């Protein structure tokens, strides 16, 4: 009937939208459709998908490790810049007041750069990013949340914030960064994108089988 066909199309549409999202160690879905999708895939397709899933997890972790080294290096450079300016003020005979002014002045400048990035360049780069990611995974689309621009603003901003001695940490921003790196893995024609495309095709075959049966 028309109603059954409409429900089938809506179900297929949801499957196609969610095919690009995958999690590790979640409770398996138990439905006739999910079991039909699993039966439609060949053992080789199952093995390839599982291998790619763990390879992506390892690649995301390695990528964030490299990014963490870069952020730590930038924090060290900025901190040495502040310390060097304070020492230079002492050597010029400005005394403790001059060194304090240089130390605090550069801290204010670094904090202003970090604030300006999230105020005018990319507001989604503010905060830890974890609440935004949770909202995104629960179906709230935030345009620009998983872009390289947001990642750059987030990482540069946190480096400048730490170097200015603001109360900020890297844990939340790195969680957000991992989300951006993971999203980049699903760009068109990437291996993960091709696997998701095969999953959508398997879902369509399974749905056709259910409708026929």
């Amino acid at each position: 009937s028309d109603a059954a066909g409409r429900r089938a199309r809506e179900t297929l549409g949801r499957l196609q939208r969610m095919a690009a999202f995958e999690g590790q160690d979640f409770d398996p879905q138990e439905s006739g459709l999910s079991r039909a999708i699993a039966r439609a895939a060949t053992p080789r397709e199952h093995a390839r998908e599982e291998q790619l899933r763990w390879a992506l997890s390892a690649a995301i972790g390695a990528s964030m490790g490299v990014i963490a080294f870069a952020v730590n290096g930038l924090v060290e450079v900025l901190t040495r810049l502040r310390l060097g300016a304070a020492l230079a003020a002492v050597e010029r005979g400005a005394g403790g007041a001059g060194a304090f002014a240089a130390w605090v002045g550069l801290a204010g400048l670094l904090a202003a750069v970090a604030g300006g990035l999230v105020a005018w360049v990319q507001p989604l780069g503010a905060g830890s990013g974890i609440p935004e990611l949770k909202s995104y995974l629960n179906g709230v689309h935030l345009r620009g949340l998983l872009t390289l621009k947001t990642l750059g603003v987030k990482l540069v901003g946190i480096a400048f914030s730490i170097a200015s001695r603001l109360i900020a940490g890297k844990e939340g921003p790195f969680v957000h960064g991992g989300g951006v790196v993971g999203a980049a893995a699903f760009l068109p024609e990437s291996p993960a994108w091709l696997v998701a495309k095969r999953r959508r095709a398997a879902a369509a075959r399974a749905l056709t089988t259910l409708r026929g049966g």
Side-chain angles (χ1 to χ4, degrees), residues 104-158:
V104 174
L106 278 177
L109 179 61
L110 295 176
V113 171
L117 287 173
V118 298
W120 292 298
V121 179
Q122 179 52 280
L124 285 174
S128 71
I130 295 177
E132 290 82 0
L133 280 179
K134 288 183 176 180
S135 299
Y136 191 90
L137 292 176
N138 279 289
V140 180
H141 180 64
L142 300 174
R143 185 180 296 275
L145 179 67
L146 300 177
T147 62
L148 294 179
K149 178 181 178 181
T150 303
L151 177 62
V153 167
K154 173 83 69 175
L155 297 178
V156 173
I158 195 62

Side-chain angles (χ1 to χ4, degrees), residues 19-22 45 47-57 59-60 181-200:
F21 296 91
E22 186 63 50
E45 288 174 339
R48 186 184 300 115
E49 184 175 345
E50 190 71 16
Q51 292 167 0
L52 180 61
R53 182 183 303 159
W54 287 107
L56 282 175
S57 298
I60 292 171
V181 174
F186 282 92
L187 292 175
E189 304 305 330
S190 67
W193 182 85
L194 293 175
V195 169
K197 183 178 180 181
R198 286 196 293 269
R199 291 181 64 199
R200 289 192 293 269

